[in-house]
Amino acid sequence: MADIVITEFMDEAAVARLADAHDTLYDPKLVDNPEALHGLLASAKALVVRNRTQVREALLGMGPKLKVVGRLGVGLDNIDVEACRARSIKVIPATGANDLSVAEYVITAALMLLRGAWLRSDEVAGGAWPRQSMMGRELAGKTMGLVGYGSIAREVAWRAHMMGMSIVAYDPYLTADHPGWQIARNVSLDAVLELGDVVSLHTPLTDATRNMIDAEALAKMKSDAVLVNAARGGIVDEAALAAALADKRIGGAALDVFETEPLTAEAGAKFSGLPNLILTPHVAGVTEESNVRVSHLIADKVLEVLGAGA
């Protein structure tokens, strides 16, 4: 039986490093086969997951020998951290390893939504030549509004600043003397919503942030502002956002995360036919490069806990 069980995709070179040191089972399909996963945990000392494997009390009870849960990413919504702590199981996220990927996603989404032209290829392929309506807008001279100002948001802020944007941010947990405030104004949540030409979300999903961006919050945004959520599903009230887009009360949105993941056809129906909308399947932090960084960081940390050899 395996000492290390990996339930979702991981860089194969990092998997090989783990396998060289300990008996390792790597099966990215396990996330969709909980019964099989439960049966494999009896001997496991380490469990490595991404964001879909639900590490809850029932699963932990199947792994009496577990010492560490490695998270190939940063959010811990799918892991019962308190239950792990009670069992003396270390929970290790890949902090910092995908910051760059998410920051580039946010900037790219902002460019696409403000410019608009990249969303209309079918018209050009069909023989239309709508140059005037495709003029779009520039990032330079606009305001980037950041809800949450942690490490990823600060990566976004730096890139936006270098592209000529002004930065406003809301983060009640970041100290006023943090160097990140050198390029961003420390303002209220309402001010971020009211001032931002681009509003990007960078908070965890908690009771306080669930549906933080609801109909009332959306009504505070500029009518041509765009919203980017590459943080966590559930922070945005999706029905309220769909209504705001349909009524053209905001200028556009990009969602990489959803209340229901994977997004089903039923859950996604509310977004059908909406203009200036980008939907991606929770990939903002996943690039070829970040996958390598995340995977090897977690491999390092798991080996620190289990030891470098079997």
Side-chain angles (χ1 to χ4, degrees), residues 3-178:
D3 295 320
I4 301 172
V5 176
I6 306 166
T7 67
E8 300 181 62
F9 70 90
M10 187 176 186
D11 178 69
E12 293 194 2
V15 174
R17 288 179 54 213
L18 293 172
D20 285 343
H22 297 272
D23 188 1
T24 298
L25 189 150
Y26 173 49
D27 183 356
K29 297 179 181 178
L30 279 175
V31 63
D32 295 313
N33 192 349
E35 289 186 8
L37 172 58
H38 289 174
L40 293 166
L41 290 178
S43 65
K45 299 175 184 176
L47 175 65
V48 179
V49 304
R50 283 192 181 267
N51 65 302
R52 291 184 56 216
T53 306
Q54 298 300 308
V55 185
R56 308 297 183 194
E57 188 68 42
L59 184 145
L60 294 170
M62 302 289 180
K65 297 183 180 180
L66 281 174
K67 296 181 178 180
V68 59
V69 175
R71 165 71 168 93
L72 296 164
V74 293
L76 299 176
D77 307 51
N78 60 312
I79 299 173
D80 188 333
V81 176
E82 290 302 320
C84 289
R85 185 178 294 116
R87 295 170 181 269
S88 299
I89 299 170
K90 291 187 176 181
V91 177
I92 303 175
T95 304
N98 64 358
D99 289 6
L100 173 60
S101 301
V102 180
E104 288 191 354
Y105 177 99
V106 172
I107 294 296
T108 301
L111 285 165
M112 289 183 70
L113 289 167
L114 288 184
R115 194 66 183 263
W118 291 294
L119 303 176
R120 298 171 62 184
S121 297
D122 288 348
E123 294 178 47
V124 178
W129 203 247
R131 294 184 70 203
Q132 187 171 351
S133 66
M134 279 193 182
M135 283 193 295
R137 295 175 286 159
E138 299 172 351
L139 280 187
K142 303 295 189 299
T143 297
M144 173 68 75
L146 300 166
V147 180
Y149 199 43
S151 61
I152 294 175
R154 294 194 295 271
E155 289 283 353
V156 173
W158 175 248
R159 284 159 179 76
H161 173 72
M162 294 298 290
M163 297 181 77
M165 299 188 79
S166 299
I167 317 298
V168 295
Y170 164 72
D171 193 324
Y173 303 103
L174 194 67
T175 59
D177 60 353
H178 192 282

Side-chain angles (χ1 to χ4, degrees), residues 211-230:
N211 287 332
M212 169 189 283
I213 307 302
D214 56 9
E216 183 179 354
L218 291 164
K220 295 174 182 175
M221 292 174 60
K222 298 177 180 180
S223 60
D224 59 356
V226 300
L227 177 72
V228 181
N229 186 14

